[in-house]
Amino acid sequence: MELYNYLKSLHLIFVITWFAGLFYIVRLFVYQIEASEKPSPEKEILQKQYKIMTYRLWFIITWPSAILASFFAYWMLFFTDLGSAWLKMPWMHVKLGFVFLLYSYHWKCHLIYKQLQHDEVKHTSNFMRIWNEGATIILFAVVFLVILKNAVNWIYGVIGIVIFSILIMLGFKFYKKIRERNQS
């Protein structure tokens, strides 16, 4: 049991740093996209700095955290007695589905990262602001699943975060209109 608690602690630490990396990388994508619309020399100066920042965040924090979080989860699930019991529970199957979604989200962020490193801007900053909510929704779903250990009740938490996300986006649009009106 003591080994399991150490593994669980390490897993949680790296899940937290993984999510921190995912939250911040998309924010940096917003800044990179907005920098691409600036006039020279500001554009080049900002792009160079954001490329360095995203590189360090992505390869020194986010990718290693994803790998280590998964490593410790794998160890817990397949090499401890308690983990073997968790694998038989329906909520764990749903959680693993969300982990798959999280890795899909992570991979899409990696593709966006590579595009921006090559000065290819294929998304708007507004798209990135919305995209940033994806990791938040996955985080809420997984936390509710793990705490409630119920394959159905987590839905209420996810519905709540989706509503909260919609309210945030409406607030963002409202703020954008105010900002545009004040710039006129």
Side-chain angles (χ1 to χ4, degrees), residues 64-84:
S65 295
I67 292 165
L68 288 168
S70 299
F71 172 78
F72 290 115
Y74 186 83
W75 192 349
M76 273 191 305
L77 288 174
F78 295 104
F79 298 108
T80 66
D81 294 333
L82 191 54
S84 299

Side-chain angles (χ1 to χ4, degrees), residues 119-137:
D119 298 321
E120 296 173 28
V121 178
K122 295 185 177 183
H123 303 286
T124 65
S125 59
N126 285 336
F127 171 84
M128 283 299 138
R129 286 181 174 93
I130 294 168
W131 179 252
N132 205 23
E133 299 305 317
T136 305
I137 292 168

Side-chain angles (χ1 to χ4, degrees), residues 4-168:
Y4 181 84
N5 287 331
Y6 280 106
L7 295 172
K8 185 174 167 181
S9 297
L10 290 167
H11 171 68
L12 286 172
I13 288 166
F14 289 110
V15 165
I16 291 166
T17 57
W18 183 13
F19 271 99
L22 287 173
F23 291 147
Y24 191 44
I25 197 77
V26 179
R27 174 53 49 194
L28 287 174
F29 293 164
V30 169
Y31 298 152
Q32 278 185 281
I33 291 166
E34 290 176 349
S36 72
E37 299 165 357
K38 303 266 185 208
S40 289
E42 185 180 11
K43 172 183 175 177
E44 290 77 18
I45 293 167
L46 288 172
Q47 284 180 327
K48 181 180 178 185
Q49 184 61 41
Y50 290 136
K51 284 179 183 180
I52 292 168
M53 292 170 68
T54 55
Y55 174 83
R56 289 176 180 164
L57 175 65
W58 200 237
F59 290 109
I60 297 173
I61 296 172
T62 311
W63 265 113
S65 295
I67 292 165
L68 288 168
S70 299
F71 172 78
F72 290 115
Y74 186 83
W75 192 349
M76 273 191 305
L77 288 174
F78 295 104
F79 298 108
T80 66
D81 294 333
L82 191 54
S84 299
W86 290 133
L87 277 174
K88 296 175 185 167
M89 300 191 175
W91 68 267
M92 181 57 77
H93 301 154
V94 176
K95 179 191 174 197
L96 293 174
F98 277 106
V99 172
F100 176 78
L101 282 176
L102 183 62
Y103 262 106
S104 298
Y105 179 89
H106 184 109
W107 184 252
K108 178 63 177 171
C109 286
H110 186 78
L111 296 176
I112 295 167
Y113 162 81
K114 286 173 43 177
Q115 291 167 355
L116 291 173
Q117 289 296 93
H118 292 101
D119 298 321
E120 296 173 28
V121 178
K122 295 185 177 183
H123 303 286
T124 65
S125 59
N126 285 336
F127 171 84
M128 283 299 138
R129 286 181 174 93
I130 294 168
W131 179 252
N132 205 23
E133 299 305 317
T136 305
I137 292 168
I138 294 170
L139 176 64
F140 268 70
V142 170
V143 168
F144 277 106
L145 270 166
V146 171
I147 299 301
L148 297 174
K149 293 186 179 30
N150 185 307
V152 177
N153 285 343
W154 64 272
I155 295 171
Y156 299 119
V158 173
I159 290 170
I161 190 58
V162 168
I163 291 169
F164 181 68
S165 297
I166 290 168
L167 291 173
I168 287 174

